[in-house]
Amino acid sequence: CLSDWSSDVCSSDLMLVTIRVEGKFGAVRELSAVVDFNSPFCTVLSQDAIDLGYPEGGNKHNERERTHPEETPRFSSMRGIDRGIQLKLHKVSVGGLVARNVDSVVLELEHPRHITFDFVLGRSFLKHFKLTVDVNKGYLSLA
């Protein structure tokens, strides 16, 4: 179960929570997110990135890498080596917990449509807080 958050959810497989993301120019989206402390970045879907004011999130990764290689990091994930278009989200919040200027990526290959979450809360968000995890009890707390 998730604790210390306004929307507590229990799941045997995923730690899900509703988040609020603020992008450029005050654009805001409420999204369903999965907590993944193994992911180095937060991950946002390309359409959500565009809606939040980041049109570069809709670019083809090869093209973006040619013109802005510093904004297309490659990193290790559970899927292997991933590539993303890097964005800095103005604000990401879960309940009363708020992180500003959060590094995020739009992945080259987005997750399948049957996945029930829109966003991955990775270490670029989690590093702003004290994280306590008890895998055996299925407990995660951020403070």
Side-chain angles (χ1 to χ4, degrees):
C1 289
L2 301 175
S3 121
D4 296 341
W5 291 348
S6 63
S7 355
D8 291 358
V9 176
C10 292
S11 171
S12 60
D13 296 295
L14 299 174
M15 292 178 266
L16 296 172
V17 65
T18 299
I19 64 168
R20 184 176 172 94
V21 181
E22 184 177 322
K24 290 182 180 177
F25 315 116
V28 174
R29 302 268 303 165
E30 286 194 7
L31 302 169
S32 172
V34 63
V35 177
D36 183 357
F37 45 86
N38 290 313
S39 177
F41 294 102
C42 290
T43 303
V44 62
L45 298 175
S46 62
Q47 188 58 54
D48 289 325
I50 293 166
D51 292 346
L52 286 163
Y54 303 92
E56 63 273 24
N59 291 349
K60 296 202 181 295
H61 286 69
N62 287 336
E63 293 171 12
R64 190 70 181 176
E65 189 172 44
R66 272 195 296 277
T67 59
H68 296 87
E70 73 284 359
E71 295 176 6
T72 53
R74 292 180 189 265
F75 53 94
S76 176
S77 76
M78 297 300 283
R79 299 184 324 173
I81 301 297
D82 268 323
R83 177 172 59 171
I85 295 175
Q86 192 166 356
L87 312 170
K88 193 165 292 275
L89 299 174
H90 178 67
K91 185 169 30 172
V92 177
S93 55
V94 178
L97 302 175
V98 178
R100 298 183 186 280
N101 300 316
V102 177
D103 287 324
S104 302
V105 293
V106 176
L107 292 180
E108 185 170 23
L109 299 172
E110 292 190 357
H111 64 260
R113 293 197 181 273
H114 68 276
I115 300 294
T116 59
F117 57 87
D118 308 307
F119 193 94
V120 174
L121 276 174
R123 289 192 314 266
S124 61
F125 172 82
L126 299 172
K127 71 180 182 182
H128 294 274
F129 308 99
K130 180 181 180 209
L131 173 68
T132 305
V133 179
D134 185 332
V135 177
N136 294 330
K137 293 182 182 177
Y139 175 85
L140 179 138
S141 174
L142 288 176

